[in-house]
Amino acid sequence: MTDLVVHDAAAVVVGPDGDGGLDARENAAVAVDDGEVVAVGDTDAVTREHPPENADRAVDAAGRAVVPGFVDPHTHAVFAGDRADEFAAKLRGKSYQAILAEGGGILRSVRATREASDETLLANLRAHLDAMLAHGTTTVEVKSGYGLDTETELRLLDTIGRAAEGHPVDVVPTFMGAHAVPEGRDADDYVDEVVDEQIPAAAEQGVAEFCDVFCEADAFSVAQSRRVLDAGRDAGLTPKVHAEEFTRLGGAQLAAEAGAASADHLLHATVEDARALADAGVVPTLLPATAFGLGAEYADPGPFREAGSPVALATDFNPNCFSRSQAFTATLACVEMAMTPADALRGITRDAALAVDRTDGTGTLREGAPGDLVVLDAPSHLHVPYRFDGSVADLVVKSGVVAHE
Ligand code: NIG
Ligand code: FE
């Protein structure tokens, strides 16, 4: 008995083929059993071995393409309130940093989040996970970071853990107490609190897997960021870094030195930074929707590719960047960053999985990979970046089970 057979698809994208291509098979099928891909390839061959009539669920995907479930490796999805009025202020020319300096931006979301009940935070996050799933995302990283005190940071991590329970989307939790310096606090004092109190408490709680830091002129210096990442690593949390977003401060080199899973944003990274990341095996993760929302310049994927790195893409979903669609990220990557549709699809699937240390085949449909896939409402993977008017996902499967249709 097979859990799921998707057959007669116009194409099935298996994943990177090693030559910069995607290994797209035509008139193909995928079979999933016990949550894993057990066969992929020509429909006749797959269905001979796994007859659709014997499967728990069979999907005739005629005229439609199948791609791996999308992976979103960078979001700040647990928060309360919104910042639509700041969006309007930015349109009138006010900068992100000026808003933050006045106590808006992250600090305003911190106030709203601290005041929100556990139920509100949980309901908000679940709604965001539902929307991501409907857009084809089957694995998402979610950071804490709108608490900025021990009690609220733990509450946010607990919310992330509870939202993940019973939700089809796989959630990768990240501790980010060093997201901003809280109002009225000295940065060094606050880093002491993150290192001495928050990280040990988060490690004891046991939800977080990664530890991220905003290494930026108006947030944490390289030295302060290093302290946070070292303490996180000592507590069993793998480093991640927000690096070179508004200025080139040295976050990329720090990510390389710390052996981070990823360095994210990288708008101002240099060729040397790209080489350092590649040498250290740190996955550069680019966030075009953030640049889009800020009206800023986009990161250049060229140096990272030339250095031999995978290039991951993420939504950066947060109250300043309200996109829960990795397909829209792919559109922006193609239109604004000269990535090909194949590059962009890799960026939101396999390369994104590498940015969250998922090396079990997540983001591919190879045999043995998790049975996470999207049946598109379209005949080819080119439609993922091509269509930007809504969800291109017709049916979303997580671990071999239809989770959205
Ligand atoms: O990755 N840069 C820091 N963190 C987020 C923004 C968070 C916010 O503005 O609320 C980011 O873009
Ligand atoms: Fe971020």
Side-chain angles (χ1 to χ4, degrees):
M1 192 72 169
T2 315
D3 291 341
L4 173 83
V5 179
V6 180
H7 59 91
D8 288 289
V12 172
V13 170
V14 180
D17 63 6
D19 289 324
L22 273 179
D23 192 8
R25 316 274 178 91
E26 288 180 10
N27 190 20
V30 194
V32 182
D33 199 26
D34 264 347
E36 281 183 8
V37 176
V38 289
V40 60
D42 183 66
T43 288
D44 287 344
V46 172
T47 55
R48 210 175 303 124
E49 193 78 10
H50 303 277
E53 55 277 19
N54 294 346
D56 280 351
R57 176 78 196 259
V59 176
D60 180 346
R64 296 178 288 169
V66 177
V67 297
F70 304 151
V71 178
D72 190 347
H74 181 141
T75 82
H76 307 254
V78 56
F79 61 87
D82 69 70
R83 306 211 311 253
D85 53 350
E86 290 182 5
F87 175 76
K90 276 181 285 179
L91 298 178
R92 295 193 299 269
K94 200 159 186 176
S95 74
Y96 180 87
Q97 288 97 327
I99 292 169
L100 185 62
E102 287 171 7
I106 295 176
L107 297 174
R108 179 166 168 215
S109 294
V110 168
R111 289 193 292 276
T113 301
R114 284 178 179 168
E115 279 165 20
S117 67
D118 291 356
E119 292 67 37
T120 299
L121 291 170
L122 185 62
N124 287 357
L125 178 53
R126 284 212 173 115
H128 298 319
L129 295 179
D130 288 346
M132 291 168 182
L133 180 71
H135 280 93
T137 293
T138 49
T139 301
V140 62
E141 186 255 19
V142 180
K143 304 174 201 295
S144 70
Y146 293 111
L148 307 187
D149 60 42
T150 307
E151 185 198 331
T152 318
E153 285 298 313
L154 291 188
R155 209 152 72 81
L156 296 180
L157 289 170
D158 184 60
T159 303
I160 295 169
R162 288 204 291 150
E165 273 168 31
H167 199 284
V169 173
D170 257 336
V171 180
V172 179
T174 295
F175 165 76
M176 199 176 177
H179 190 197
V181 180
E183 283 176 291
R185 294 289 298 274
D186 169 75
D188 280 317
D189 280 354
Y190 182 62
V191 171
D192 287 344
E193 178 186 319
V194 171
V195 166
D196 297 336
E197 281 182 34
Q198 294 186 15
I199 288 176
E204 186 173 328
Q205 182 192 38
V207 174
E209 178 177 342
F210 293 94
C211 174
D212 201 342
V213 60
F214 190 16
C215 184
E216 186 64 50
D218 296 322
F220 300 96
S221 69
V222 171
Q224 290 164 341
S225 300
R226 185 183 288 115
R227 287 187 62 204
V228 170
L229 299 181
D230 286 350
R233 194 184 321 85
D234 290 348
L237 306 177
T238 303
K240 276 180 165 282
V241 186
H242 281 60
E244 334 297 7
E245 181 181 0
F246 295 103
T247 49
R248 179 169 181 261
L249 201 70
Q253 299 287 340
L254 173 65
E257 182 194 306
S262 69
D264 304 43
H265 285 290
L266 300 171
L267 274 71
H268 297 277
T270 62
V271 171
E272 290 70 39
D273 294 335
R275 290 201 191 111
L277 296 177
D279 289 346
V282 180
V283 179
T285 301
L286 309 183
L287 314 170
T290 314
F292 177 74
L294 290 171
E297 277 193 32
Y298 290 77
D300 178 5
F304 305 108
R305 277 256 179 275
E306 278 149 33
S309 287
V311 178
L313 297 167
T315 58
D316 193 20
F317 171 63
N318 72 64
N320 184 57
C321 179
F322 211 102
S323 169
R324 296 166 294 189
S325 166
Q326 274 288 63
F328 182 59
T329 306
T331 300
L332 291 174
C334 292
V335 174
E336 301 288 358
M337 289 162 39
M339 287 176 84
T340 65
D343 286 343
L345 190 63
R346 271 201 311 275
I348 63 169
T349 54
R350 200 283 309 259
D351 292 356
L354 299 180
V356 286
D357 277 354
R358 295 299 184 266
T359 52
D360 58 351
T362 297
T364 78
L365 290 174
R366 294 206 187 90
E367 283 179 25
D372 303 347
L373 58 88
V374 184
V375 180
L376 301 178
D377 176 28
S380 123
H381 72 273
L382 296 176
H383 288 247
V384 173
Y386 166 66
R387 296 192 187 184
F388 46 87
D389 71 335
S391 179
V392 70
D394 203 6
L395 191 130
V396 185
V397 170
K398 179 70 193 178
S399 300
V401 177
V402 175
H404 177 85
E405 63 186 315

